[in-house]
């Protein structure tokens, strides 16, 4: 890897217009004050950094569930998947990954499989690290059916600052583990609902890397 590739990451196309807006405002700020202009430069660089889209190396072993987002594991608890996904109304292990405004916000598929449902639901904008964010905040959920017929849900949740959830996939499409499927702008959270009996391999407070960090293993002995 070249030295500049360590610090300069490619930007996702969703960020182009935002960086352009930040840059235009920065030019106007320079007309007012050099100090304000340089503050604008810093914010423009941050905006570019926010929309970075680095390549990731996904583990190759079949049956692994990887993190869909960069961030910190904020919750691991039993919870019922969102009703709009049409999954059975039974509690499953939910792993929540909280993304700050400094994390990469490109979301990646936690498993390989067929997208059987995509459901958006408007809502509020509580701090995404709070437990009630899963139930009350704006969200977009995917149900993914893996090769053995089990279902896994991954839910994008808007946060206190986030105001736009973007999803690139539709029902019927096939996803590969670690494949990009969406992003959330400016701070948010991802929830993963593991199939019944699957045991998480991570702990609260652990740092996640989207598409790389293993959350669980579908083929491991279940907790039942």
């Amino acid at each position: 890897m070249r030295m500049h590739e360590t610090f300069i990451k490619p930007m996702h196309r969703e960020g182009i217009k935002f960086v352009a807006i930040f840059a235009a405002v920065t030019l106007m700020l320079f007309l007012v004050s050099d100090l304000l202009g340089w503050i604008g430069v810093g914010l423009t660089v941050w905006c570019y950094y926010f929309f970075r889209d680095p390549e990731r190396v996904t583990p190759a072993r079949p049956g692994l569930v990887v993190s869909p987002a960069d961030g910190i594991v904020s919750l691991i608890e039993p919870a019922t998947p969102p009703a709009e996904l049409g999954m059975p109304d039974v509690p499953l292990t939910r792993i929540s990954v909280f993304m700050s405004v400094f994390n990469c916000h490109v979301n990646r598929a936690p498993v390989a499989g067929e997208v059987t449902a995509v459901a958006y639901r408007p809502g509020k904008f509580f701090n995404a690290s709070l437990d009630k964010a899963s139930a009350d905040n704006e969200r977009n959920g995917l149900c993914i059916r893996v090769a053995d017929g089990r279902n896994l849900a991954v839910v994008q949740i808007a946060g206190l600052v986030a105001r736009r959830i973007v999803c690139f996939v539709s029902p019927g499409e096939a996803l590969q583990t670690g494949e990009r499927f969406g992003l959330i702008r400016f701070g948010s959270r991802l929830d993963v609902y593991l199939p019944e009996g699957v045991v998480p391999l991570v702990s609260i407070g652990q740092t996640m890397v989207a598409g790389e960090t293993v959350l669980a293993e579908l083929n491991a002995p279940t907790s039942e």
Side-chain angles (χ1 to χ4, degrees):
M1 179 181 292
R2 298 182 179 89
M3 182 63 69
H4 74 276
E5 293 175 342
T6 302
F7 303 100
I8 302 176
K9 303 297 183 182
M11 182 178 66
H12 195 277
R13 62 182 183 277
E14 286 286 332
I16 294 174
K17 62 182 177 182
F18 289 94
V19 173
I21 291 171
F22 273 66
V25 171
T26 296
L27 290 176
M28 290 186 287
L29 289 175
F30 268 116
L31 297 176
V32 177
S33 162
D34 284 349
L35 175 60
L36 292 176
W38 284 111
I39 292 174
V41 169
L43 291 174
T44 302
V45 171
W46 169 80
C47 186
Y48 175 90
Y49 186 71
F50 177 88
F51 284 102
R52 67 194 183 280
D53 186 15
E55 293 298 325
R56 297 289 165 80
V57 180
T58 301
R61 190 166 80 242
L64 295 181
V65 181
V66 301
S67 179
D70 287 8
I72 301 293
V73 176
S74 59
L75 292 169
I76 301 176
E77 60 185 4
T80 303
E84 61 267 22
L85 288 176
M87 298 175 66
D89 187 19
V90 296
L92 301 173
T93 298
R94 180 178 71 196
I95 302 174
S96 300
V97 180
F98 175 72
M99 298 181 288
S100 76
V101 294
F102 299 104
N103 289 124
C104 174
H105 274 56
V106 175
N107 305 145
R108 294 173 179 267
V111 291
E114 179 187 356
V115 179
T116 59
V118 178
Y120 170 80
R121 199 206 72 168
K124 300 177 181 178
F125 297 95
F126 293 120
N127 187 321
S129 64
L130 299 177
D131 183 42
K132 64 180 178 179
S134 291
D136 297 333
N137 281 24
E138 177 186 4
R139 67 189 184 218
N140 184 75
L142 277 68
C143 181
I144 304 173
R145 181 169 298 158
V146 299
D148 63 9
R150 288 182 290 176
N151 292 318
L152 177 147
V154 56
V155 184
Q156 301 167 285
I157 300 172
L160 187 65
V161 181
R163 287 297 186 272
R164 184 74 168 90
I165 294 174
V166 181
C167 181
F168 311 138
V169 299
S170 303
E173 293 187 33
L175 286 173
Q176 298 301 315
T177 306
E179 182 178 348
R180 300 168 179 86
F181 76 86
L183 60 82
I184 314 175
R185 296 173 186 160
F186 306 118
S188 41
R189 169 174 147 189
L190 268 286
D191 285 350
V192 175
Y193 293 82
L194 299 174
E196 191 170 3
V198 175
V199 178
L201 300 177
V202 294
S203 302
I204 292 176
Q206 187 172 341
T207 299
M208 299 291 99
V209 178
E212 294 189 356
T213 306
V214 175
L215 297 181
E217 185 171 358
L218 298 178
N219 300 331
T222 69
S223 61
E224 298 178 339

